[in-house]
Amino acid sequence: MNKMDTSIVWQIGVVVRDVEEAAKKVQEIFGFAHQAEVGLNGTVVYDGADVTYMGQKVDGNFKGAFYDFGSVQIEFMSPADDGPSVWKDYLKEHGPGIHHVAWKVADNDKTQEYLESKGLKMMQRGSWPTGSYAYYDGLESMGLIIETLEFDEERKSGEALVEKWYERKHD
């Protein structure tokens, strides 16, 4: 691989202290409710996700609200527990703000090899029934965290992901 295998910017992630407050503000300004909510005490709990943070297995729980704005999804997220995570680190070091830009990739394993060969350290990686994600530290070199997202064929939208988690939790 001589370049990242995508040109599709999928999502911009924003870390906030309170997802519910951010969702209310988006509703007030843009006039619509979030399309999906994920996390502890939300409609879905990520207790089955396989998450590694800085090389250690963690719970990786978060609350989130997702909005599709044309071809780009905006994700608001906040840590949902006291465990370590990239979201908690970002809030502590930078406060609320744009956390990452996510690209859709065909193969997260190959993309990880490529990005690490370019000097980007993987910060956190996780998987769920319909795909996987990884965050890479590009803050010093590019001013942003890179997220890569790999989805299986069933992945149609942010709502499809949440519906699958919800069905699993309520069967």
Side-chain angles (χ1 to χ4, degrees):
M1 184 182 288
N2 62 2
K3 66 180 183 95
M4 206 158 94
D5 68 346
T6 187
S7 60
I8 300 170
V9 173
W10 185 264
Q11 177 188 86
I12 298 171
V14 181
V15 175
V16 295
R17 297 190 199 292
D18 186 326
V19 167
E20 289 83 8
E21 286 301 313
K24 286 178 190 174
K25 197 57 148 176
V26 170
Q27 167 79 26
E28 177 186 327
I29 292 171
F30 297 103
F32 57 86
H34 55 280
Q35 288 122 348
E37 185 176 310
V38 179
L40 289 177
N41 303 317
T43 57
V44 179
V45 178
Y46 266 92
D47 63 356
D50 179 20
V51 178
T52 303
Y53 165 78
M54 299 298 193
Q56 302 294 315
K57 288 249 181 218
V58 297
D59 288 335
N61 295 315
F62 75 98
K63 290 183 178 182
F66 300 81
Y67 302 87
D68 291 327
F69 286 91
S71 63
V72 176
Q73 184 180 77
I74 307 295
E75 173 187 27
F76 290 91
M77 67 202 114
S78 63
D81 59 30
D82 291 331
S85 71
V86 294
W87 314 295
K88 184 176 282 184
D89 290 350
Y90 195 90
L91 277 173
K92 181 179 178 184
E93 295 173 26
H94 307 283
I98 293 177
H99 176 260
H100 67 263
V101 175
W103 280 265
K104 187 176 178 184
V105 299
D107 186 323
N108 247 334
D109 292 330
K110 287 181 182 176
T111 303
Q112 178 181 347
E113 288 176 25
Y114 174 72
L115 290 174
E116 287 180 341
S117 79
K118 297 299 181 187
L120 297 177
K121 180 180 178 184
M122 183 176 43
M123 305 163 75
Q124 183 168 306
R125 184 169 178 162
S127 62
W128 64 89
T130 59
S132 65
Y133 74 91
Y135 291 117
Y136 298 89
D137 189 351
L139 287 168
E140 281 299 314
S141 59
M142 298 181 293
L144 71 133
I145 294 171
I146 292 175
E147 181 181 21
T148 59
L149 294 165
E150 177 185 343
F151 302 118
D152 70 13
E153 292 303 314
E154 295 177 38
R155 168 72 177 177
K156 301 287 191 259
S157 70
E159 287 184 21
L161 166 68
V162 172
E163 287 169 11
K164 190 162 231 148
W165 273 98
Y166 187 81
E167 288 168 10
R168 192 181 116 231
K169 296 304 295 173
H170 292 89
D171 281 344

